Amino acid sequence: MSSLSLKYGTNPHQDPAEVLVEGGEFPFTVVNGRPGYINFLDALNAWQLVHELRAVLDLPAAASFKHVSPAGAGVAVPLDEALRQAYRVGDKELSPLAQAYARARGADRLSSFGDFIALSDVVDAQTAALIAPEVSDGVVAPGFSDEALEVLRRKKKGGYILLAMDPDHEPPLVESRTVFGVTMRQRRNDRVIDPGMLEDRVTRRTDLPDEARRDLLLALVTLKYTQSNSVCFARDGQVIGNGAGQQSRVHCTRLAGAKADRWYLRQHPAVLGLRFRGGVPRAERDNVVDQFLDDDTTERERAGWDGVLEVVPERLTAVERREWLDTLTGVSLGSDAYFPFDDSIHRAAATGVEYVVQPGGSVRDDAVIEACDHYGMVMAFSRTRLFHH
């Protein structure tokens, strides 16, 4: 049996803590730092996500994980100028892996603060340069170039966690889990996400462009490793809103939709035009952008912008926000289980959703299909539930 002592468990008082592998060796090597219990939960789930995305879409993939769910995930698709500004990558030359990471981190920058990063390919210098200024706990990847190691080992005063994962590792078919002294066993979720899950199209409209296929498959892989209930919005080769761990499906949709709205509003010219004073940390800039787009920003928060912004602008009106959001189109949506009502479809339409994949099987499938037809959406039944707990 292989064992490794951890920094501590879920909380600092849960000590001692360790990870174990029975009858074999660890599928990873700790290259730097000392991981904790949550670090491994995030790293092992995130690695599965990017490894599967790489196999399904044949593109370098990245994920940003927080509390055992992805805050963002993306694949190697070039960024336009607005996204380069919104993601704070400027005019840097980006390798394919760096493009994927920029998209994963850029989906929800507030939620990605202090994340664990997963990368499908060996980490190169350009990707390491993007990771270097961000606040995160560590990276799991199949390996690291010498240049990337030199950069990343300097983070967190030398304590930044780097895990090298064996890309050929296949876990046992049966997995177990102990809760309150009771051990449960099940077959692990080895259902492979594949394009066949998009073929059973049940709406009047049935066309599915290549970009929508890519984004729907990306959403399904993301959902497979997201705490349930979950709904995922994707566009342009990345997650733009992920609603995780809600007890009601429509609340998942509202949460994911609100995040997707925020993602798109961050590309509004008024947001891209915010002029920050020199020396303002990246995380503080993200907080101000979020406050600028928040209807509930207090006067005290707004007063604090004087020391951060060169000019404090007028905020977007409700009409301006809606006009901008109405230009968002081509969004794909995946759900880890069926929609019991059509309410999620109505909410999704407000965020430009045109393509939907869900398992189907509800007694109200007809009402959900009718709602999709009303908005001219394409919906496929995957016939596969993807709960993750």
Side-chain angles (χ1 to χ4, degrees), residues 117-135:
I117 300 161
L119 300 165
S120 64
D121 294 23
V122 172
V123 184
D124 55 28
Q126 291 173 333
T127 307
L130 292 187
I131 295 171
E134 305 290 5
V135 176

Side-chain angles (χ1 to χ4, degrees), residues 265-338:
L265 285 165
R266 281 168 43 213
Q267 300 169 61
H268 191 286
V271 178
L272 297 180
L274 292 174
R275 300 203 305 272
F276 290 90
R277 298 184 185 276
V280 177
R282 296 166 72 85
E284 190 168 347
R285 294 185 182 206
D286 293 334
N287 288 337
V288 169
V289 169
D290 192 66
Q291 292 167 13
F292 181 74
L293 295 173
D294 196 336
D295 291 334
D296 298 325
T297 299
T298 66
E299 287 304 315
R300 173 173 286 187
E301 287 173 322
R302 185 175 172 83
W305 297 354
D306 286 329
V308 177
L309 296 172
E310 293 180 1
V311 177
V312 177
E314 291 298 320
R315 293 171 58 193
L316 296 173
T317 66
V319 171
E320 289 172 327
R321 291 162 64 99
R322 188 65 257 169
E323 287 177 345
W324 179 256
L325 290 173
D326 284 343
T327 67
L328 176 58
T329 59
V331 177
S332 294
L333 178 154
S335 177
D336 68 351
Y338 65 66

Side-chain angles (χ1 to χ4, degrees), residues 6-18 34-38:
L6 300 178
K7 187 176 182 180
Y8 51 73
T10 303
N11 298 291
H13 63 267
Q14 292 176 259
D15 188 38
E18 61 182 342
R34 187 184 180 196
Y37 191 93
I38 294 176

Side-chain angles (χ1 to χ4, degrees), residues 110-372:
L110 260 68
S111 294
S112 287
F113 183 85
D115 64 345
F116 209 97
I117 300 161
L119 300 165
S120 64
D121 294 23
V122 172
V123 184
D124 55 28
Q126 291 173 333
T127 307
L130 292 187
I131 295 171
E134 305 290 5
V135 176
S136 72
D137 283 347
V139 178
V140 58
F144 303 84
S145 71
D146 291 342
E147 296 88 349
L149 276 178
E150 183 179 355
V151 170
L152 297 176
R153 277 181 164 149
R154 292 199 291 263
K155 285 179 66 66
K156 300 190 77 169
K157 299 179 179 179
Y160 193 61
I161 300 165
L162 301 176
L163 301 176
M165 180 65 69
D166 177 4
D168 297 322
H169 172 68
E170 283 289 334
L173 188 59
V174 176
E175 61 185 11
S176 61
R177 179 179 182 180
T178 301
V179 178
F180 203 56
V182 177
T183 298
M184 298 169 282
R185 290 193 175 91
Q186 66 172 357
R187 179 188 181 116
R188 69 180 178 88
N189 188 1
D190 59 344
R191 177 63 61 88
V192 176
I193 305 300
D194 66 74
M197 292 181 175
L198 309 179
E199 293 309 307
D200 185 10
R201 290 168 222 161
V202 296
T203 45
R204 286 199 296 266
R205 181 184 170 192
T206 58
D207 64 293
L208 207 56
D210 290 343
E211 292 82 2
R213 289 176 181 270
R214 174 199 62 203
D215 294 344
L216 288 170
L217 291 171
L218 188 155
L220 286 175
V221 174
T222 300
L223 290 166
K224 185 177 173 182
Y225 302 103
T226 299
Q227 298 298 297
S228 299
N229 286 329
S230 55
V231 167
C232 180
F233 287 54
R235 184 176 185 268
D236 201 26
Q238 70 167 92
V239 170
I240 63 172
N242 201 30
Q246 303 301 300
Q247 290 73 37
S248 163
R249 188 144 306 274
V250 71
H251 286 153
C252 297
T253 309
R254 290 171 184 167
L255 177 58
K259 289 187 175 188
D261 288 349
R262 188 65 56 97
W263 169 83
Y264 194 58
L265 285 165
R266 281 168 43 213
Q267 300 169 61
H268 191 286
V271 178
L272 297 180
L274 292 174
R275 300 203 305 272
F276 290 90
R277 298 184 185 276
V280 177
R282 296 166 72 85
E284 190 168 347
R285 294 185 182 206
D286 293 334
N287 288 337
V288 169
V289 169
D290 192 66
Q291 292 167 13
F292 181 74
L293 295 173
D294 196 336
D295 291 334
D296 298 325
T297 299
T298 66
E299 287 304 315
R300 173 173 286 187
E301 287 173 322
R302 185 175 172 83
W305 297 354
D306 286 329
V308 177
L309 296 172
E310 293 180 1
V311 177
V312 177
E314 291 298 320
R315 293 171 58 193
L316 296 173
T317 66
V319 171
E320 289 172 327
R321 291 162 64 99
R322 188 65 257 169
E323 287 177 345
W324 179 256
L325 290 173
D326 284 343
T327 67
L328 176 58
T329 59
V331 177
S332 294
L333 178 154
S335 177
D336 68 351
Y338 65 66
F339 290 115
F341 303 98
D342 61 3
D343 48 5
S344 288
I345 302 302
H346 298 305
R347 173 59 188 87
T351 302
V353 169
E354 291 188 49
Y355 310 101
V356 179
V357 61
Q358 56 126 333
S362 167
V363 296
R364 297 182 180 85
D365 276 348
D366 288 347
V368 175
I369 294 170
E370 183 179 351
C372 287

Side-chain angles (χ1 to χ4, degrees), residues 49-50 53 60-63 72-76 99-101 103-104 218 222 237-239:
L49 192 161
V50 298
L53 268 184
V75 293
Q99 292 169 357
Y101 168 70
R103 289 186 176 278
L218 188 155
T222 300
Q238 70 167 92
V239 170

